[in-house]
Amino acid sequence: MLHVLGHKRSACDGVTRRELLRAGSLALLGGASLPQASFGTPSAGRAKAVILIDLFGGPSHIDTFDLKPDAPSEIRGEFKPIATSLPGVQICEYLPLLARMMHKLCTIRTVSHGYNSHNPYAVMTGFTGGSDREDYYAKPSNHPSMGSVCQHFRIGRRSDLPGYVVLPAYPGYSQGLRRAGPYGGYLGSQYDPMFSTCDPKFAREVNPDRDFYDHTLRPMGDPMLPKLTGDMTINALDERRTLVEQLDGEARRLDSFRGMSVRRRQAFDILLSPTARVPDRTPGEPLALRDRYGRNLFGSSALLARRLVEAGVTFVTIHTESKGNGHWDTHNNNFDMLRMDTKETGGKDRNI
């Protein structure tokens, strides 16, 4: 029996777990025989790794990077603009650190797509020619994610580490569905990322309907990768290997599990890799830096992404979806959702 997990509350795009059961193939069961991509030879570049931050929803552009202070009161928002290190460019007052680095950034104002939902497909694949109905759920015929393409070409790939990781969980996990975007698609399931899992905690019990826009309920916790310390006992490893072999016996009957052998090899590489260990604090790293990232789910994901890149992982995606209010879906309570409570930082540093 296959149990689809997650609460039944829908996001603003209205998708529930029940609709997942009518959606067809999932990337979880992907890897069937599919046409291979015909890409040209990639040119050499200077970038060694990528951390892609994908927002579940998105902060209002007129309250962040495109404030309109001279507009009528019914158009402009509550936030005020501040000057940045790039002459003539102003951004929101609650983004002072970004304001200092603006001369190193590029604001692109011409990107759009036709996905009217929390669909990360366009962001993760660069493909915008489809539609929600066609591209909402992950399926083997999807376009591959950018991280998957990097793995296809083995760009910067190390044999003892996964090349592509998604934090803190797969897109759609909080609703019990798998949204399209981060997978290998028609390149094959062997190019799917390693996903961490998470179990966010809150200061009180969360009602998924009533508390969806309660800005005071921050998801706390850490993304959890498979055991990476390399200190697993031989007996424990043998037990896991035995379990995998049992699953392999059934998987061989299904063409859709042809990528299992690749995943199995990657899993044991990860289990035995001492270089992949990510403790709560690395040697020489001040506790203040850990606090600066934020001891919430997103802050922990961002810090883990940095450490994975430092360890040699090529491509890390942080998807900001979370159970509770850990999202950018600000249809209600917009300004409180965007405004960080300055009590957390003593008013010294404020960022949305």
Side-chain angles (χ1 to χ4, degrees):
M1 174 68 69
L2 175 64
H3 296 277
V4 182
L5 304 178
H7 61 69
K8 62 182 179 181
R9 198 232 183 261
S10 299
C12 65
D13 43 27
V15 177
T16 66
R17 287 180 290 159
R18 291 180 178 85
E19 293 176 73
L20 171 64
L21 301 178
R22 300 194 296 269
S25 300
L26 302 179
L28 177 63
L29 304 178
S33 179
L34 294 168
Q36 296 296 305
S38 57
F39 296 107
T41 302
S43 58
R46 291 179 297 173
K48 296 180 179 179
V50 173
I51 297 177
L52 171 65
I53 300 177
D54 172 55
L55 306 182
F56 186 77
S60 165
H61 69 95
I62 61 173
D63 297 313
T64 51
F65 292 92
D66 191 22
L67 285 80
K68 302 182 184 299
D70 299 325
S73 59
E74 65 270 19
I75 295 178
R76 69 176 184 269
E78 298 178 8
F79 301 154
K80 296 180 175 58
I82 58 173
T84 71
S85 59
L86 187 62
V89 175
Q90 296 180 321
I91 62 175
C92 174
E93 61 183 311
Y94 290 102
L95 297 171
L97 298 182
L98 282 179
R100 297 175 203 168
M101 298 185 293
M102 205 64 195
H103 63 288
K104 298 181 179 180
L105 307 178
C106 178
T107 303
I108 302 174
R109 305 178 185 273
T110 57
V111 174
S112 183
H113 61 76
Y115 298 105
N116 188 26
S117 70
H118 293 276
N119 189 345
Y121 189 55
V123 174
M124 294 185 176
T125 67
F127 176 78
T128 60
S131 65
D132 277 333
R133 183 181 297 275
E134 178 185 356
D135 299 320
Y136 196 97
Y137 296 97
K139 56 184 185 292
S141 57
N142 287 143
H143 287 268
S145 67
M146 290 176 278
S148 298
V149 172
C150 287
Q151 302 320 297
H152 176 78
F153 289 119
R154 299 189 63 82
I155 298 175
R157 182 75 164 85
R158 284 178 46 170
S159 61
D160 61 341
L161 288 172
Y164 177 26
V165 179
V166 173
L167 309 172
Y170 57 85
Y173 86 97
S174 69
Q175 294 174 268
L177 56 88
R178 286 185 178 263
R179 299 174 186 268
Y183 302 96
Y186 57 71
L187 287 180
S189 61
Q190 66 269 34
Y191 298 110
D192 288 352
M194 176 213 280
F195 292 102
S196 71
T197 59
C198 64
D199 184 20
K201 305 298 182 183
F202 299 87
R204 60 172 174 79
E205 185 176 353
V206 175
N207 182 309
D209 295 306
R210 184 188 64 231
D211 298 326
F212 199 62
Y213 297 105
D214 186 343
H215 65 285
T216 66
L217 291 174
R218 301 183 184 279
M220 309 299 290
D222 301 311
M224 295 169 286
L225 291 170
K227 185 175 178 63
L228 302 176
T229 61
D231 57 3
M232 178 178 293
T233 65
I234 295 298
N235 289 338
L237 183 60
D238 282 343
E239 289 175 2
R240 294 198 179 191
R241 190 185 303 273
T242 299
L243 176 60
V244 172
E245 288 172 351
Q246 292 175 22
L247 293 174
D248 276 352
E250 295 298 321
R252 277 191 288 270
R253 302 179 187 179
L254 302 174
D255 287 342
S256 59
F257 277 89
R258 289 178 182 174
M260 180 68 75
S261 61
V262 176
R263 291 181 180 177
R264 177 181 174 181
R265 184 170 60 252
Q266 291 177 342
F268 283 108
D269 286 346
I270 293 163
L271 288 170
L272 296 174
S273 173
T275 60
R277 187 169 66 93
V278 185
D280 181 65
R281 181 186 178 192
T282 55
E285 181 181 89
L287 289 174
L289 180 62
R290 178 69 179 88
D291 293 333
R292 185 174 177 182
Y293 272 83
R295 292 183 179 268
N296 50 57
L297 183 61
F298 174 72
S300 296
S301 297
L303 181 57
L304 178 55
R306 191 204 83 190
R307 290 176 176 170
L308 288 171
V309 164
E310 290 173 344
V313 175
T314 304
F315 204 105
V316 182
T317 294
I318 304 172
H319 184 63
T320 62
E321 173 188 357
S322 172
K323 296 178 180 179
N325 76 331
H327 54 81
W328 293 95
D329 189 19
T330 61
H331 293 271
N332 291 326
N333 197 22
N334 176 68
F335 296 103
D336 283 336
M337 290 280 286
L338 294 181
R339 183 188 294 109
M340 173 181 279
D341 183 358
T342 57
K343 293 180 181 179
E344 291 188 1
T345 56
K348 296 178 181 178
D349 190 14
R350 302 182 297 167
N351 277 290
I352 291 178

